[in-house]
Amino acid sequence: MSETGTQADAGTADDPVRGEALGTAPVPLSVLDLVTVGSGSTASRALTTSVELSRLAERRGYHRHWVAEHHSMPGVASSSPAVILAHLAAHTRRIRLGSGGVMLPNHAPLVIAEQFGTLEALAPGRIDLGLGRAPGTDGATAAALRRTETLDEGADDFPEQLSELTRFLDDDFPDAHRYSRIHAVPGPVQGSKGRPPIWLLGSSGFSARLAGLLGLPFAFAHHFSARNTLPALDLYRQSFRPSAVLDEPYTLIGVGALAAEDEKEAYRQVLTGALSMLRLRTGRPGLIPTPEEAEAYGFGPAEREFVDGWLANLVHGTPDAVRAGLDELQKRTGADELMLTANVHGGEARLRSYDLIADAYGLPGAA
């Protein structure tokens, strides 16, 4: 761990949930990272790109950098968010880092409390704990992760698991509880002054309602569940009850976004991610194809319909066009924060996109 992860250098002065919009952005902009692996590349290279992306995001004024948990997907090297976040913390100083998210039913709550307590000790005041209830993979892999064939059990127990995790993080089980003498270390038992804020993530109404009832910030996966975005955000806001965490609702939405110098190049890049998603949805997961491979692919009618629908919910084009699309989406949804994800073949295209979007919004730190 480098000195950049120590108490002296870590942390941001802003609210751990509510960021500050910079430049001319109407709301804070953040990064969602799947650590994508392109054809002809390696997971090592993808992880190096994630470090470069985190440094770029910090330099350009993005508010946070989250890593998403996925399993058994060759083109996605983010199966261990806590490990990746520790590495990113060692190479950054200010940007918030977190999980977008950890799939709670895949893990024992104590394990997550220990992992994120450790991350908080490494990078005090910079860690977010985003939680989801989906497996982040197919049914067979989820069964292997959870050591059970009954996958619904984990999802149905999500509120109970969340309560248990929160108590481990706060070290406040009642004396009569069977876990009252168990401590998540590092944690409050060692004198920690805080813990990572908890976010609930979702792509439907369940987590939206639960986040509202608990007064927690809510992150919605607009990038792959666009038609459910407005109903879920409305449900969250209607269900919201003020808490010790928030006085009023706070919504973040994940948005697929890719900017390039011209519209044609942007389309070439996003087509690689669309083809990768098509293959995943049809049981053929693999590395992200190259632009040349995507352009040469012979899409059947049903495949073309899927790809066109996928791209319709992805903001892509020139920097000004992407800014206009993001501004319209933010206005339409009322989101308090936009978290941008760019799952395309090349790391250079991804890094360039985040730079161009930052330029379009007049964010600081241009090279």
Side-chain angles (χ1 to χ4, degrees):
M1 184 73 179
S2 75
E3 65 178 1
T4 55
T6 65
Q7 176 73 49
D9 291 325
T12 56
D14 57 292
D15 186 286
V17 173
R18 297 183 182 277
E20 178 184 354
L22 300 176
T24 56
V27 297
L29 302 178
S30 293
V31 174
L32 176 62
D33 188 2
L34 271 63
V35 196
T36 49
V37 185
S39 176
S41 189
T42 65
S44 293
R45 180 58 210 163
L47 289 163
T48 298
T49 297
S50 288
V51 171
E52 295 170 359
L53 175 56
S54 203
R55 287 172 165 172
L56 183 154
E58 181 172 78
R59 183 177 73 249
R60 296 307 314 268
Y62 287 89
H63 183 48
R64 57 184 110 236
H65 180 175
W66 281 5
V67 178
E69 177 185 345
H70 292 81
H71 299 278
S72 195
M73 298 179 187
V76 178
S78 57
S79 58
S80 301
V83 176
I84 297 171
L85 293 173
H87 188 58
L88 297 180
H91 289 85
T92 55
R93 295 178 53 145
R94 297 176 302 278
I95 191 168
R96 296 196 65 83
L97 302 168
S99 56
V102 164
M103 301 298 106
L104 178 53
N106 292 346
H107 312 277
L110 176 58
V111 171
I112 297 177
E114 290 174 337
Q115 290 175 344
F116 278 77
T118 301
L119 287 169
E120 180 67 21
L122 290 170
R126 289 207 289 145
I127 303 300
D128 299 323
L129 174 52
L131 299 168
R133 62 190 285 265
T137 187
D138 60 272
T141 306
L145 284 165
R146 302 177 187 183
R147 308 297 296 173
T148 177
E149 299 297 326
T150 309
L151 300 186
D152 289 341
E153 180 181 346
D156 291 344
D157 290 346
F158 185 82
E160 180 181 345
Q161 293 174 317
L162 175 61
S163 176
E164 184 177 306
L165 170 59
T166 303
R167 288 197 175 277
F168 275 127
L169 287 169
D170 291 334
D171 196 41
D172 68 349
F173 280 104
D175 290 341
H177 196 280
R178 60 176 177 164
Y179 294 154
S180 63
R181 299 180 67 182
I182 299 174
H183 308 289
V185 177
V189 69
Q190 295 177 302
S192 172
K193 295 182 180 180
R195 64 162 171 83
I198 291 177
W199 293 66
L200 293 194
L201 281 59
S203 58
S204 62
F206 181 94
S207 291
R209 182 186 297 275
L210 183 60
L213 293 174
L214 296 177
L216 296 175
F218 177 58
F220 186 81
H222 172 82
H223 55 295
F224 66 81
S225 188
R227 65 181 179 181
N228 291 326
T229 302
L230 292 179
L233 296 185
D234 287 344
L235 181 59
Y236 168 67
R237 291 166 180 144
Q238 292 166 7
S239 304
F240 186 83
R241 298 175 181 174
S243 69
V245 177
L246 289 175
D247 293 328
E248 57 187 22
Y250 190 90
T251 58
L252 174 157
I253 59 173
V255 186
L258 193 286
E261 275 77 5
D262 62 76
E263 185 175 350
K264 182 178 179 181
E265 178 59 22
Y267 182 81
R268 286 183 75 243
Q269 295 296 334
V270 297
L271 189 60
T272 67
L275 177 55
S276 177
M277 181 56 63
L278 171 65
R279 289 172 168 171
L280 176 65
R281 293 287 178 88
T282 54
R284 300 172 291 157
L287 303 182
I288 310 295
T290 65
E292 293 75 19
E293 183 181 353
E295 287 180 319
Y297 186 87
F299 292 97
E303 293 177 322
R304 174 54 64 181
E305 181 179 1
F306 173 87
V307 166
D308 288 346
W310 182 263
L311 294 179
N313 294 315
L314 197 157
V315 184
H316 60 91
T318 64
D320 287 342
V322 170
R323 172 177 175 160
L326 293 175
D327 286 350
E328 187 279 329
L329 178 62
Q330 187 279 324
K331 184 177 181 180
R332 178 160 52 89
T333 62
D336 298 294
E337 186 171 339
L338 301 179
M339 179 165 275
L340 313 183
T341 185
N343 300 317
V344 299
H345 173 266
E348 290 184 5
R350 294 173 62 216
L351 294 169
R352 183 59 177 155
S353 174
Y354 285 107
D355 241 344
L356 290 173
I357 293 172
D359 288 343
Y361 279 106
L363 299 188

